[in-house]
């Protein structure tokens, strides 16, 4: 048996029983792009293809034992973090990332800050937000919030002076504050913005790069998970950040163009290029 040349991505995310989002979406994407996914489930959700009803965080001792077993066994090239479910899990995952960062070949860390479900259900309370900001953001190589998530992560950092009132902070303000909080790079996705095209904005040491893409009709379940996992896989395969992000956007768009509706609610990205003909 030969050892693998596939990059290994450790996915840390919630389980969505519909198979549209969460850890199933991450594993499908990574497999489709030629990577191997190890997975730690942070939370079990109750949801259908329209919205999420509730979730239960997974017990921290179990997550810890799973992490230790994987860490002893695999060379991890990237860590992709999605739904965390509780502040305790966020702090615990920050500890895992710190442990892995001491390795000779430290993995690339991608955080998709899943703060709400596609149908609008809230997935993060104030304690979890605080834990993400304090413990995870300073360790992140690439953060992939949508615009509402970027605003929520930076809300308390904004100077709400008299004439600003309750105005929402701009994309650039969010990015500046998230860079100051310690993220090395940020991809703010534009699906929730009001622009005609979807414009994704990549921020990092060399400034801002705007990446426009067509706005597709339909409401999709799992598009953010697909995009973040695809970037993680391309980065773990050795692509530059800009190249990885461009290719991941292209893969996600193809998955969305071929989306189907296996349930009765939102459409699911089809993350299997063999079915795209
Ligand atoms: N992770 C889990 C477990 C979820 O249930 C959801 C949405 O419901 C997400 C992530 C985020 O999905 P999306 O990629 O649609 O933002």
């Amino acid at each position: 048996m030969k050892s693998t040349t596939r990059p290994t991505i450790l996915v840390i995310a919630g389980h969505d029983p519909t198979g549209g989002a969460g850890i199933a979406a991450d594993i499908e994407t990574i497999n489709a792009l030629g990577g191997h996914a190890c997975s730690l489930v942070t939370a079990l959700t109750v949801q259908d293809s329209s919205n999420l009803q509730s979730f239960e965080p997974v017990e921290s001792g179990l997550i810890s034992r799973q992490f230790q077993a994987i860490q002893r066994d695999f060379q991890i090239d990237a860590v992709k973090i999605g739904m965390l479910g509780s502040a305790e899990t966020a702090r615990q995952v920050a500890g895992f990332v710190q442990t892995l960062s001491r390795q000779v070949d430290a993995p690339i860390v991608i955080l998709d800050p899943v703060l709400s479900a596609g149908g609008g259900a809230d997935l993060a309370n104030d304690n979890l937000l605080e834990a993400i900001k304090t413990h995870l953001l300073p360790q992140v190589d690439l953060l992939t919030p949508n615009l509402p998530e970027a605003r929520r992560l930076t809300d308390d950092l904004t100077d709400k002076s008299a004439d600003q009132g309750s105005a929402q902070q701009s994309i650039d303000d969010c990015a500046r504050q998230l860079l100051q909080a310690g993220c090395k790079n940020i991809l703010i996705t534009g699906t929730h913005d009001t622009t005609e095209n979807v414009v994704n904005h990549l921020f990092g040491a060399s400034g801002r790069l705007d990446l426009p893409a067509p706005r597709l009709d339909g409401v999709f379940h799992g598009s953010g998970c697909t995009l973040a996992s695809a970037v993680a896989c391309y980065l773990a395969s050795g692509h530059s950040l800009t190249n990885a992000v461009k290719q991941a956007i292209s893969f996600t768009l193809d998955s969305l163009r071929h989306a189907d509706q296996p349930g009765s609610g939102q459409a699911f990205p089809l993350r299997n290029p063999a079915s795209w003909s």
Side-chain angles (χ1 to χ4, degrees):
M1 189 76 66
K2 67 181 170 80
S3 67
T4 185
T5 53
R6 287 186 293 164
T8 296
I9 293 93
L10 174 61
V11 179
I12 306 179
H15 180 252
D16 166 11
T18 72
I23 208 126
D26 298 332
I27 296 170
E28 279 184 13
T29 302
I30 289 164
N31 285 345
L33 295 176
H36 172 71
C38 294
S39 52
L40 301 183
V41 177
T42 56
L44 300 172
T45 69
V46 179
Q47 60 182 306
D48 56 25
S49 57
S50 297
N51 207 356
L52 181 144
Q53 282 102 55
S54 62
F55 66 88
E56 297 280 338
V58 171
E59 192 263 319
S60 63
L62 178 58
I63 301 178
S64 205
R65 294 195 298 283
Q66 291 181 328
F67 172 72
Q68 283 157 18
I70 297 296
Q71 193 217 342
R72 280 195 298 271
D73 203 0
F74 290 82
Q75 168 61 45
I76 297 164
D77 300 298
V79 182
K80 187 262 162 180
I81 306 164
M83 176 185 176
L84 286 156
S86 76
E88 183 185 6
T89 307
R91 287 191 291 269
Q92 182 181 32
V93 169
F96 298 162
V97 171
Q98 209 155 38
T99 303
L100 292 171
S101 73
R102 292 192 207 104
Q103 286 179 182
V104 180
D105 290 313
I108 298 157
V109 180
I110 295 94
L111 172 62
D112 179 18
V114 178
L115 304 183
S116 59
D122 197 9
L123 299 178
N125 60 24
D126 287 348
N127 288 342
L128 172 52
L129 264 184
E130 202 45 53
I132 290 175
K133 288 192 249 187
T134 309
H135 300 287
L136 272 169
L137 293 191
Q139 304 196 70
V140 164
D141 293 302
L142 177 67
L143 182 75
T144 63
N146 57 39
L147 187 51
E149 287 165 343
R151 287 190 167 130
R152 235 181 122 189
L153 283 167
T154 54
D155 204 28
D156 60 329
L157 304 172
T158 307
D159 173 22
K160 296 226 169 57
S161 54
D163 52 347
Q164 275 183 310
S166 58
Q168 290 184 311
Q169 60 274 45
S170 68
I171 293 170
D172 290 288
D173 282 344
C174 291
R176 186 176 39 76
Q177 289 163 8
L178 291 167
L179 288 169
Q180 272 167 10
C183 300
K184 292 192 189 61
N185 302 279
I186 303 143
L187 176 65
I188 302 184
T189 58
T191 320
H192 295 74
D193 206 352
T194 50
T195 49
E196 189 183 339
N197 283 329
V198 171
V199 187
N200 301 300
H201 306 277
L202 180 61
F203 295 87
S206 49
R208 163 176 161 166
L209 178 66
D210 292 342
L211 299 164
R215 189 174 288 282
L216 305 180
D217 287 334
V219 183
F220 302 100
H221 188 71
S223 54
C225 305
T226 306
L227 177 67
S229 291
V231 186
C233 198
Y234 283 119
L235 286 172
S237 307
H239 291 261
S240 70
L241 177 68
T242 305
N243 201 0
V245 168
K246 285 182 179 170
Q247 298 223 52
I249 291 171
S250 167
F251 175 82
T252 305
L253 274 173
D254 280 334
S255 305
L256 296 175
R257 283 194 187 102
H258 294 91
D260 59 4
Q261 194 187 17
S264 58
Q266 296 163 346
F268 288 11
L270 189 58
R271 293 171 279 252
N272 179 6
S275 315
W276 289 350
S277 53

